[in-house]
Amino acid sequence: MRQPLAVLEELDDWEVLCSFLPDGWQDKARECGALTRARGIGGADSLLRVLLIHIACGCSLAETSVRAEQMGLGKLNQSAVFKRLRAAEEWFRWMADEIRASLGIVKPQTGQRVRVVDATAVSEPGSTGTDWRIHYAINLATLQCDFFQLTDVHGGETWRRFPVASGDIMLGDRGYANPNGVQHVVDAGGEVVVRLNREALPLFDKAQKRLDVVKVAGKLKPTRNMECPAWVHNGKDTQIKGRLLIVRRGKQATEYAQKKLRQQASKKQTTVTEASLEAARYFFAWTTLPSTWSRKQVLELYRSRWQIELAFKRMKSIMDLGHLPKTDPESCRAWLHGKLLTALLVERMIGAAKTISPWGYELDSATEQVA
Protein backbone atom coordinates (compact mmCIF):
# COMPACT_ATOMS: atom_id res chain seq x y z
CA MET A 1 0.00 0.00 0.00
CA ARG A 2 1.38 3.40 -0.98
CA GLN A 3 2.10 6.04 1.62
CA PRO A 4 -0.36 8.99 1.88
CA LEU A 5 2.26 11.37 0.48
CA ALA A 6 2.42 9.38 -2.76
CA VAL A 7 -1.32 9.84 -3.22
CA LEU A 8 -0.99 13.58 -2.65
CA GLU A 9 1.80 13.78 -5.22
CA GLU A 10 -0.07 12.00 -8.03
CA LEU A 11 -2.61 14.21 -9.78
CA ASP A 12 -4.96 11.41 -10.87
CA ASP A 13 -5.18 9.95 -7.38
CA TRP A 14 -5.66 13.41 -5.91
CA GLU A 15 -8.65 13.98 -8.18
CA VAL A 16 -10.14 10.67 -7.04
CA LEU A 17 -9.62 11.70 -3.39
CA CYS A 18 -11.31 15.05 -4.11
CA SER A 19 -14.36 13.20 -5.41
CA PHE A 20 -15.04 12.16 -1.80
CA LEU A 21 -15.02 15.75 -0.55
CA PRO A 22 -18.33 17.60 -0.06
CA ASP A 23 -19.78 19.75 -2.81
CA GLY A 24 -18.64 23.35 -2.66
CA TRP A 25 -15.54 22.62 -0.58
CA GLN A 26 -13.37 24.93 -2.69
CA ASP A 27 -15.72 27.92 -2.42
CA LYS A 28 -16.08 27.24 1.29
CA ALA A 29 -12.33 27.86 1.76
CA ARG A 30 -12.87 31.56 1.08
CA GLU A 31 -16.16 31.72 2.94
CA CYS A 32 -14.56 30.23 6.08
CA GLY A 33 -11.53 32.50 5.88
CA ALA A 34 -8.99 29.81 5.01
CA LEU A 35 -8.16 31.47 1.68
CA THR A 36 -8.72 35.20 2.05
CA ARG A 37 -5.69 35.74 -0.17
CA ALA A 38 -4.13 33.39 -2.71
CA ARG A 39 -0.68 34.78 -1.98
CA GLY A 40 1.97 32.08 -2.46
CA ILE A 41 -0.67 29.44 -3.16
CA GLY A 42 -2.61 28.50 -6.30
CA GLY A 43 -6.06 28.15 -4.71
CA ALA A 44 -8.18 26.01 -2.41
CA ASP A 45 -7.10 22.79 -4.13
CA SER A 46 -3.41 23.53 -3.61
CA LEU A 47 -3.99 24.77 -0.06
CA LEU A 48 -5.69 21.54 1.00
CA ARG A 49 -2.90 19.44 -0.51
CA VAL A 50 -0.28 21.47 1.35
CA LEU A 51 -2.07 21.21 4.69
CA LEU A 52 -2.65 17.47 4.29
CA ILE A 53 1.09 16.99 3.73
CA HIS A 54 1.52 18.39 7.24
CA ILE A 55 -1.54 16.82 8.93
CA ALA A 56 -2.14 13.48 7.19
CA CYS A 57 1.46 12.66 6.29
CA GLY A 58 3.02 13.93 9.52
CA CYS A 59 5.61 16.19 7.86
CA SER A 60 7.01 19.09 9.86
CA LEU A 61 6.17 22.66 8.87
CA ALA A 62 9.62 23.05 7.33
CA GLU A 63 9.37 19.79 5.37
CA THR A 64 5.86 20.67 4.26
CA SER A 65 7.14 23.97 2.89
CA VAL A 66 9.87 22.22 0.89
CA ARG A 67 7.60 19.47 -0.46
CA ALA A 68 4.90 21.98 -1.43
CA GLU A 69 7.39 23.90 -3.57
CA GLN A 70 8.77 20.69 -5.10
CA MET A 71 5.23 19.61 -6.06
CA GLY A 72 4.50 23.01 -7.59
CA LEU A 73 1.75 23.80 -5.10
CA GLY A 74 3.13 27.15 -4.04
CA LYS A 75 5.96 28.97 -2.28
CA LEU A 76 5.25 29.08 1.45
CA ASN A 77 7.84 29.24 4.19
CA GLN A 78 7.09 27.34 7.40
CA SER A 79 5.67 30.44 9.06
CA ALA A 80 3.23 30.87 6.17
CA VAL A 81 2.18 27.20 6.39
CA PHE A 82 1.54 27.68 10.12
CA LYS A 83 -0.63 30.75 9.50
CA ARG A 84 -2.57 28.96 6.76
CA LEU A 85 -3.20 26.07 9.16
CA ARG A 86 -4.53 28.36 11.88
CA ALA A 87 -6.91 30.00 9.41
CA ALA A 88 -8.23 26.63 8.17
CA GLU A 89 -9.91 25.51 11.42
CA GLU A 90 -13.50 26.32 10.40
CA TRP A 91 -12.94 25.02 6.84
CA PHE A 92 -11.71 21.68 8.18
CA ARG A 93 -14.58 21.52 10.68
CA TRP A 94 -17.15 22.17 7.92
CA MET A 95 -15.69 19.55 5.56
CA ALA A 96 -15.45 16.96 8.34
CA ASP A 97 -19.06 17.58 9.37
CA GLU A 98 -20.28 17.35 5.75
CA ILE A 99 -18.43 14.07 5.18
CA ARG A 100 -19.76 12.73 8.47
CA ALA A 101 -23.30 13.54 7.29
CA SER A 102 -22.69 11.86 3.91
CA LEU A 103 -21.59 8.57 5.45
CA GLY A 104 -25.24 7.56 5.74
CA ILE A 105 -27.16 5.88 8.51
CA VAL A 106 -28.21 2.25 8.15
CA LYS A 107 -30.69 0.89 10.69
CA PRO A 108 -29.45 -2.20 12.55
CA GLN A 109 -31.54 -5.33 12.93
CA THR A 110 -33.15 -3.93 16.06
CA GLY A 111 -35.04 -1.46 13.89
CA GLN A 112 -33.58 1.39 15.92
CA ARG A 113 -30.40 3.41 15.54
CA VAL A 114 -27.89 2.22 18.14
CA ARG A 115 -25.23 4.81 18.96
CA VAL A 116 -22.14 4.49 21.12
CA VAL A 117 -20.74 7.67 22.66
CA ASP A 118 -17.46 8.38 24.40
CA ALA A 119 -14.67 10.93 24.60
CA THR A 120 -10.92 10.69 24.15
CA ALA A 121 -8.20 12.97 25.50
CA VAL A 122 -5.47 14.61 23.45
CA SER A 123 -2.40 16.22 25.03
CA GLU A 124 -0.02 18.94 23.93
CA PRO A 125 3.77 18.46 23.94
CA GLY A 126 5.17 18.26 27.48
CA SER A 127 1.72 18.06 29.05
CA THR A 128 1.05 15.50 31.78
CA GLY A 129 -2.74 15.59 31.48
CA THR A 130 -5.65 16.28 29.17
CA ASP A 131 -5.57 19.49 27.11
CA TRP A 132 -8.27 18.76 24.54
CA ARG A 133 -11.18 16.33 24.43
CA ILE A 134 -12.90 14.84 21.37
CA HIS A 135 -16.51 13.83 22.00
CA TYR A 136 -17.46 11.16 19.49
CA ALA A 137 -20.47 9.04 18.54
CA ILE A 138 -20.56 6.07 16.18
CA ASN A 139 -23.47 4.28 14.60
CA LEU A 140 -23.23 0.65 15.65
CA ALA A 141 -24.70 -0.55 12.35
CA THR A 142 -21.99 1.04 10.21
CA LEU A 143 -19.24 1.69 12.81
CA GLN A 144 -19.01 5.17 11.31
CA CYS A 145 -19.01 8.52 13.07
CA ASP A 146 -22.38 10.30 13.21
CA PHE A 147 -21.38 13.20 15.51
CA PHE A 148 -18.25 14.77 16.93
CA GLN A 149 -17.35 17.82 18.98
CA LEU A 150 -14.01 19.26 20.04
CA THR A 151 -13.66 20.94 23.45
CA ASP A 152 -10.88 21.96 25.77
CA VAL A 153 -10.07 20.19 29.05
CA HIS A 154 -13.14 21.72 30.74
CA GLY A 155 -15.55 20.03 28.32
CA GLY A 156 -16.98 17.20 30.44
CA GLU A 157 -18.49 13.96 29.18
CA THR A 158 -22.27 14.20 28.94
CA TRP A 159 -25.05 12.99 26.68
CA ARG A 160 -26.28 16.57 26.52
CA ARG A 161 -23.57 17.29 23.94
CA PHE A 162 -25.13 14.83 21.49
CA PRO A 163 -28.26 15.43 19.40
CA VAL A 164 -30.69 12.55 20.00
CA ALA A 165 -33.47 11.47 17.64
CA SER A 166 -36.61 9.64 18.67
CA GLY A 167 -35.91 5.90 18.85
CA ASP A 168 -32.14 6.25 19.29
CA ILE A 169 -30.53 3.78 21.69
CA MET A 170 -27.60 5.48 23.41
CA LEU A 171 -24.79 3.37 24.91
CA GLY A 172 -22.37 4.92 27.38
CA ASP A 173 -19.88 4.06 30.09
CA ARG A 174 -19.95 5.29 33.70
CA GLY A 175 -18.96 8.82 32.69
CA TYR A 176 -22.42 9.29 31.17
CA ALA A 177 -24.35 7.89 34.15
CA ASN A 178 -26.03 10.97 35.62
CA PRO A 179 -29.68 12.09 35.88
CA ASN A 180 -29.37 15.18 33.65
CA GLY A 181 -27.86 13.19 30.78
CA VAL A 182 -30.49 10.46 31.10
CA GLN A 183 -33.21 13.12 31.09
CA HIS A 184 -31.77 14.65 27.89
CA VAL A 185 -31.99 11.32 26.06
CA VAL A 186 -35.45 10.37 27.37
CA ASP A 187 -36.92 13.82 26.60
CA ALA A 188 -35.78 13.41 22.98
CA GLY A 189 -37.53 10.02 22.74
CA GLY A 190 -34.37 7.94 23.02
CA GLU A 191 -33.43 4.96 25.16
CA VAL A 192 -30.46 4.59 27.52
CA VAL A 193 -28.09 1.71 28.22
CA VAL A 194 -25.39 2.86 30.63
CA ARG A 195 -22.93 1.28 33.01
CA LEU A 196 -23.92 2.31 36.50
CA ASN A 197 -22.00 4.87 38.50
CA ARG A 198 -23.33 4.25 42.02
CA GLU A 199 -22.61 7.77 43.25
CA ALA A 200 -23.45 9.85 40.16
CA LEU A 201 -26.61 7.93 39.22
CA PRO A 202 -28.48 7.01 42.42
CA LEU A 203 -31.34 4.56 41.87
CA PHE A 204 -34.62 4.29 43.77
CA ASP A 205 -37.27 1.63 44.22
CA LYS A 206 -41.02 2.03 43.63
CA ALA A 207 -41.47 3.47 47.12
CA GLN A 208 -38.86 6.16 46.26
CA LYS A 209 -36.34 4.66 48.69
CA ARG A 210 -32.66 4.72 47.68
CA LEU A 211 -31.51 1.32 46.41
CA ASP A 212 -28.41 -0.23 47.89
CA VAL A 213 -27.36 -1.95 44.67
CA VAL A 214 -24.52 -3.87 46.33
CA LYS A 215 -26.93 -5.30 48.90
CA VAL A 216 -29.34 -6.26 46.11
CA ALA A 217 -26.47 -7.92 44.21
CA GLY A 218 -25.46 -9.91 47.32
CA LYS A 219 -28.25 -12.39 46.59
CA LEU A 220 -26.50 -13.54 43.42
CA LYS A 221 -24.61 -16.79 43.22
CA PRO A 222 -21.45 -17.17 41.05
CA THR A 223 -22.01 -16.89 37.26
CA ARG A 224 -25.62 -15.76 37.80
CA ASN A 225 -27.37 -12.53 36.79
CA MET A 226 -30.58 -10.71 37.69
CA GLU A 227 -32.59 -7.55 37.14
CA CYS A 228 -35.04 -5.41 39.08
CA PRO A 229 -37.05 -2.23 38.40
CA ALA A 230 -35.22 0.95 39.35
CA TRP A 231 -36.05 4.63 38.98
CA VAL A 232 -33.82 7.65 38.33
CA HIS A 233 -34.92 10.89 40.00
CA ASN A 234 -34.07 14.18 38.31
CA GLY A 235 -35.64 16.75 40.59
CA LYS A 236 -38.65 16.31 42.85
CA ASP A 237 -41.23 15.64 40.15
CA THR A 238 -39.23 13.78 37.51
CA GLN A 239 -38.94 10.01 37.85
CA ILE A 240 -37.60 7.89 35.01
CA LYS A 241 -38.39 4.21 35.17
CA GLY A 242 -35.76 1.69 34.10
CA ARG A 243 -34.22 -1.67 34.84
CA LEU A 244 -31.14 -2.40 36.92
CA LEU A 245 -29.16 -5.31 35.46
CA ILE A 246 -26.58 -7.10 37.61
CA VAL A 247 -24.09 -9.80 36.61
CA ARG A 248 -21.90 -11.66 39.12
CA ARG A 249 -18.31 -11.56 37.87
CA GLY A 250 -16.11 -14.63 37.70
CA LYS A 251 -13.17 -15.02 40.07
CA GLN A 252 -10.52 -13.79 37.63
CA ALA A 253 -12.59 -10.80 36.48
CA THR A 254 -13.28 -9.88 40.11
CA GLU A 255 -9.59 -10.00 41.03
CA TYR A 256 -8.73 -7.82 38.03
CA ALA A 257 -11.41 -5.24 38.94
CA GLN A 258 -10.29 -5.10 42.57
CA LYS A 259 -6.64 -4.79 41.57
CA LYS A 260 -7.51 -1.87 39.29
CA LEU A 261 -9.35 -0.15 42.15
CA ARG A 262 -6.32 -0.50 44.42
CA GLN A 263 -3.99 0.85 41.74
CA GLN A 264 -6.22 3.89 41.17
CA ALA A 265 -6.46 4.51 44.91
CA SER A 266 -2.68 4.24 45.28
CA LYS A 267 -2.16 6.76 42.49
CA LYS A 268 -4.57 9.21 44.15
CA GLN A 269 -3.20 8.38 47.63
CA THR A 270 -6.62 7.31 48.90
CA THR A 271 -8.02 4.13 50.44
CA VAL A 272 -10.37 1.69 48.73
CA THR A 273 -13.55 1.17 50.73
CA GLU A 274 -14.91 -2.28 51.52
CA ALA A 275 -18.10 -1.34 49.69
CA SER A 276 -16.12 -0.60 46.52
CA LEU A 277 -14.27 -3.91 46.76
CA GLU A 278 -17.56 -5.73 47.24
CA ALA A 279 -19.15 -3.84 44.32
CA ALA A 280 -16.23 -4.94 42.12
CA ARG A 281 -17.63 -8.48 42.32
CA TYR A 282 -20.50 -7.38 40.08
CA PHE A 283 -21.21 -5.62 36.80
CA PHE A 284 -24.05 -3.08 37.03
CA ALA A 285 -25.93 -1.53 34.12
CA TRP A 286 -29.12 0.51 33.95
CA THR A 287 -31.44 0.82 30.95
CA THR A 288 -34.74 2.35 29.91
CA LEU A 289 -35.24 -0.32 27.23
CA PRO A 290 -38.59 -2.11 27.61
CA SER A 291 -39.03 -5.73 28.69
CA THR A 292 -39.27 -6.76 25.03
CA TRP A 293 -35.50 -6.56 25.26
CA SER A 294 -34.34 -9.55 27.29
CA ARG A 295 -31.66 -9.14 29.93
CA LYS A 296 -29.19 -11.05 27.75
CA GLN A 297 -29.94 -8.88 24.72
CA VAL A 298 -29.31 -5.67 26.68
CA LEU A 299 -26.04 -6.96 28.10
CA GLU A 300 -24.88 -8.17 24.69
CA LEU A 301 -25.75 -4.75 23.29
CA TYR A 302 -23.64 -3.04 25.95
CA ARG A 303 -20.70 -5.26 25.07
CA SER A 304 -20.69 -3.60 21.64
CA ARG A 305 -19.66 -0.33 23.31
CA TRP A 306 -16.04 -1.44 22.91
CA GLN A 307 -16.30 -0.64 19.21
CA ILE A 308 -15.78 3.02 20.00
CA GLU A 309 -12.64 2.19 22.00
CA LEU A 310 -11.32 0.44 18.88
CA ALA A 311 -12.19 3.52 16.81
CA PHE A 312 -10.15 5.72 19.17
CA LYS A 313 -7.29 3.23 19.07
CA ARG A 314 -7.25 3.36 15.26
CA MET A 315 -7.25 7.15 15.26
CA LYS A 316 -4.44 7.38 17.79
CA SER A 317 -2.22 4.63 16.39
CA ILE A 318 -2.78 5.01 12.65
CA MET A 319 -3.71 8.70 12.41
CA ASP A 320 -1.26 9.87 15.14
CA LEU A 321 -4.05 11.64 16.99
CA GLY A 322 -2.72 10.92 20.46
CA HIS A 323 -0.43 13.91 20.94
CA LEU A 324 -0.53 17.37 19.44
CA PRO A 325 2.58 18.81 17.79
CA LYS A 326 1.23 22.30 18.63
CA THR A 327 0.97 24.59 21.65
CA ASP A 328 -0.97 27.50 20.11
CA PRO A 329 -4.76 27.03 20.78
CA GLU A 330 -5.90 28.07 17.28
CA SER A 331 -3.42 25.81 15.49
CA CYS A 332 -4.29 22.97 17.92
CA ARG A 333 -7.97 23.18 17.01
CA ALA A 334 -7.18 23.42 13.29
CA TRP A 335 -4.82 20.42 13.48
CA LEU A 336 -7.37 18.33 15.38
CA HIS A 337 -10.17 19.19 12.95
CA GLY A 338 -7.80 18.34 10.12
CA LYS A 339 -7.13 14.94 11.70
CA LEU A 340 -10.86 14.34 12.11
CA LEU A 341 -11.37 15.30 8.46
CA THR A 342 -8.68 12.80 7.45
CA ALA A 343 -10.20 10.03 9.59
CA LEU A 344 -13.70 10.64 8.22
CA LEU A 345 -12.36 10.82 4.66
CA VAL A 346 -10.80 7.39 5.19
CA GLU A 347 -14.17 6.10 6.45
CA ARG A 348 -15.86 7.54 3.36
CA MET A 349 -13.35 5.86 1.05
CA ILE A 350 -13.64 2.52 2.88
CA GLY A 351 -17.41 2.72 2.49
CA ALA A 352 -17.01 3.24 -1.25
CA ALA A 353 -14.52 0.35 -1.43
CA LYS A 354 -17.23 -2.07 -0.25
CA THR A 355 -18.76 -1.71 -3.68
CA ILE A 356 -15.46 -1.24 -5.49
CA SER A 357 -15.42 -1.11 -9.27
CA PRO A 358 -12.68 -2.22 -11.68
CA TRP A 359 -11.68 1.37 -12.29
CA GLY A 360 -11.20 2.11 -8.55
CA TYR A 361 -13.45 5.13 -8.00
CA GLU A 362 -17.07 6.28 -8.11
CA LEU A 363 -18.39 7.47 -11.47
CA ASP A 364 -19.59 11.01 -11.87
CA SER A 365 -23.30 11.33 -12.53
CA ALA A 366 -22.48 13.20 -15.73
CA THR A 367 -21.65 11.11 -18.81
CA GLU A 368 -19.50 11.98 -21.74
CA GLN A 369 -20.78 11.51 -25.28
CA VAL A 370 -18.45 10.18 -27.96
CA ALA A 371 -19.00 11.59 -31.46
Side-chain angles (χ1 to χ4, degrees), residues 275-343:
S276 294
L277 290 174
E278 179 61 24
R281 297 179 181 276
Y282 310 95
F283 172 85
F284 299 95
W286 184 81
T287 182
T288 59
L289 284 170
S291 57
T292 51
W293 283 77
S294 70
R295 193 183 319 155
K296 183 178 179 181
Q297 286 176 317
V298 176
L299 293 170
E300 289 292 336
L301 188 63
Y302 183 83
R303 283 182 61 193
S304 303
R305 196 198 70 82
W306 283 102
Q307 291 294 337
I308 200 165
E309 303 289 352
L310 297 176
F312 287 149
K313 186 175 182 179
R314 287 194 298 270
M315 283 195 287
K316 289 189 172 184
S317 60
I318 300 174
M319 305 301 300
D320 292 327
L321 187 61
H323 294 278
L324 282 166
K326 315 288 178 194
T327 54
D328 170 71
E330 289 185 28
S331 63
C332 283
R333 289 193 301 267
W335 188 87
L336 285 167
H337 278 119
K339 282 291 187 181
L340 286 169
L341 168 63
T342 304

Side-chain angles (χ1 to χ4, degrees), residues 78-109:
Q78 66 182 71
S79 176
V81 174
F82 177 73
K83 290 178 181 178
R84 292 286 187 179
L85 173 64
R86 291 184 67 190
E89 176 192 347
E90 178 57 22
W91 187 36
F92 282 150
R93 189 209 60 77
W94 178 84
M95 285 193 289
D97 195 47
E98 289 293 307
I99 292 175
R100 188 270 313 160
S102 73
L103 287 170
I105 301 299
V106 180
K107 290 186 178 181
Q109 293 180 354

Side-chain angles (χ1 to χ4, degrees), residues 110-261:
T110 63
Q112 294 174 274
R113 183 170 65 156
V114 182
R115 304 170 66 202
V116 188
V117 304
D118 206 349
T120 187
V122 184
S123 301
E124 295 176 7
S127 174
T128 57
T130 300
D131 295 293
W132 300 89
R133 190 171 280 119
I134 296 174
H135 306 270
Y136 210 71
I138 64 171
N139 181 331
L140 201 57
T142 61
L143 300 183
Q144 293 175 333
C145 174
D146 68 18
F147 180 83
F148 68 88
Q149 187 180 82
L150 176 66
T151 67
D152 61 16
V153 65
H154 303 294
E157 298 178 32
T158 172
W159 268 322
R160 287 178 292 174
R161 295 188 180 280
F162 298 87
V164 180
S166 179
D168 281 357
I169 299 174
M170 307 293 286
L171 308 185
D173 65 7
R174 283 175 289 200
Y176 295 88
N178 61 79
N180 289 335
V182 169
Q183 187 74 56
H184 169 74
V185 176
V186 171
D187 285 348
E191 304 285 359
V192 166
V193 181
V194 65
R195 187 170 180 178
L196 185 67
N197 184 320
R198 293 180 295 121
E199 299 301 325
L201 189 69
L203 299 179
F204 299 83
D205 62 16
K206 192 175 183 179
Q208 300 187 29
K209 182 180 178 181
R210 175 78 179 267
L211 276 177
D212 184 340
V213 297
V214 178
K215 185 176 180 180
V216 173
K219 304 173 185 178
L220 276 178
K221 295 180 180 180
T223 72
R224 309 298 290 178
N225 58 79
M226 64 172 289
E227 70 173 83
C228 64
W231 283 258
V232 167
H233 292 184
N234 191 30
K236 293 183 179 180
D237 302 322
T238 305
Q239 299 177 22
I240 305 169
K241 185 178 181 180
R243 300 150 61 194
L244 170 64
L245 281 62
I246 309 173
V247 181
R248 177 76 180 258
R249 283 191 169 113
K251 182 180 179 182
Q252 187 174 3
T254 297
E255 290 174 352
Y256 175 79
Q258 292 176 339
K259 180 181 178 181
K260 191 173 180 180
L261 282 174

